[in-house]
Amino acid sequence: MPAQILTHTRIDLLDVVPDAAHPVRVRARNLEAAELLHAHSHPWGQVTYAAEGVLRVSVGNSTWIVPPLRAIWIPPLVEHEIATMEKSQLRALYVHSDLAPFDGRQCIVLEVSTLLRELIAALSQVNEDSQRETLISQLILNELAEAKTQAIRIALPTEKRLHAICQALIETPDSNTTLADWAQQVGASERTLARLFERDLGMTFGQWRQQIRLAHAAPMIARGMPLSLVATELGYASQSAFSAMFRKTFGQSPSTFFAPKKN
């Protein structure tokens, strides 16, 4: 029986708990923009993926912006929160802890290959307890283990004033508001804020804002937006300036980094 597609964000997982007979289960949700699955955890691992749309996944003091060509592996028992940044088709894979494709308690960014995308779609349509379900699950576990990629992880601060600044920049990544301007808004000196960025996040204000812009570039590029327009939308002076910054960070061009992997 095909997976039921939910249109709400209530956390009700009893019908999709993975076990020895069903090591990979799928939860399908079609959600509008700005919806939130509140922080929760479970004894099994999870692959968070949007077939369409863009997600923001938050774990502890880190957040990831996840376009359709990427997914996030969340280990068992790790508390996580998922928000939709635009209308999204959320497909969460639940993986039995004994068969987790990755060790440790760190989240991992995954590249969603053409094969993995089709396997996820197939699992959501397969009849439960069938041989086809078993085979698809085995293929998914194998494909996940090969799917690591470079992360676009955004560290979040704990300090109240920094948190306000960072949340505002996540919402408006093209903002060119200077640290001095922010200092006036949050009631602190520019020197104090600079010191807090170094202490809490291990980087300068400019470096952190750069990470935000690169993360927001992912869904734009995934939708096929021209790089010149991506650069403009994110506040870069030119396409070449954006591409140079991207290559410096990831060692390859934006078009290469986000090109779908063929299988």
Side-chain angles (χ1 to χ4, degrees):
M1 180 178 177
Q4 179 185 7
I5 298 178
L6 305 182
T7 57
H8 61 75
T9 58
R10 295 190 299 274
I11 308 299
D12 183 6
L13 305 174
L14 294 180
D15 60 327
V16 287
V17 175
D19 54 32
H22 312 90
V24 183
R25 308 295 289 268
V26 62
R27 170 65 89 205
R29 298 179 191 265
N30 288 355
L31 301 175
E32 298 299 320
E35 296 203 56
L36 180 68
L37 281 88
H38 290 281
H40 64 284
S41 63
H42 35 69
W44 53 87
Q46 175 173 330
V47 175
T48 301
Y49 163 67
E52 293 184 12
V54 180
L55 308 173
R56 189 166 79 208
V57 178
S58 299
V59 175
N61 67 341
S62 296
T63 192
W64 292 263
I65 295 173
V66 186
L69 294 179
R70 294 290 187 269
I72 298 289
W73 163 254
I74 302 170
L77 301 175
V78 171
E79 188 173 74
H80 53 282
E81 180 181 87
I82 302 169
T84 56
M85 298 185 67
E86 56 186 49
K87 188 174 182 179
S88 300
Q89 294 181 8
L90 172 59
R91 301 296 181 262
L93 292 179
Y94 300 140
V95 181
H96 194 281
S97 58
D98 289 347
L99 295 173
F102 308 106
D103 297 325
R105 290 179 54 81
Q106 297 299 314
C107 295
I108 299 173
V109 177
L110 307 176
E111 184 171 28
V112 180
S113 66
T114 303
L115 176 57
L116 182 55
R117 183 188 66 216
E118 296 302 324
L119 287 170
I120 294 171
L123 185 64
S124 68
Q125 296 295 320
V126 75
N127 290 325
E128 191 171 315
D129 295 317
S130 65
Q131 183 184 27
R132 181 173 173 80
E133 180 194 25
T134 300
L135 293 173
I136 290 173
S137 296
Q138 291 173 348
L139 285 171
I140 285 175
L141 290 171
N142 183 265
E143 191 69 4
L144 286 175
E146 302 294 326
K148 287 187 184 181
T149 189
Q150 290 172 287
I152 305 180
R153 169 185 171 272
I154 304 166
L156 295 177
T158 55
E159 204 280 334
K160 183 178 178 180
R161 290 164 294 184
L162 246 57
H163 192 269
I165 295 171
C166 291
Q167 287 295 335
L169 287 174
I170 288 174
E171 299 300 327
T172 55
D174 60 331
S175 170
N176 286 314
T177 304
T178 66
L179 193 59
D181 293 333
W182 281 117
Q184 291 184 351
Q185 292 187 37
V186 300
S189 70
E190 181 179 1
R191 179 176 296 179
T192 294
L193 290 181
R195 185 173 66 251
L196 289 173
F197 265 96
E198 292 281 1
R199 188 194 72 188
D200 277 27
L201 299 173
M203 63 186 74
T204 66
F205 166 74
Q207 290 169 332
W208 192 89
R209 182 167 57 186
Q210 174 189 310
Q211 285 194 344
I212 283 290
R213 289 176 170 177
L214 291 175
H216 275 276
M220 296 180 187
I221 295 171
R223 288 195 296 266
M225 182 182 289
L227 291 181
S228 57
L229 187 54
V230 173
T232 300
E233 288 285 323
L234 296 179
Y236 284 89
S238 65
Q239 176 182 333
S240 59
F242 167 71
S243 296
M245 186 60 66
F246 195 98
R247 186 182 293 275
K248 179 180 179 181
T249 303
F250 297 107
Q252 53 188 306
S253 69
S255 55
T256 299
F257 186 88
F258 290 107
K261 181 180 178 182
K262 303 296 183 180
N263 295 85

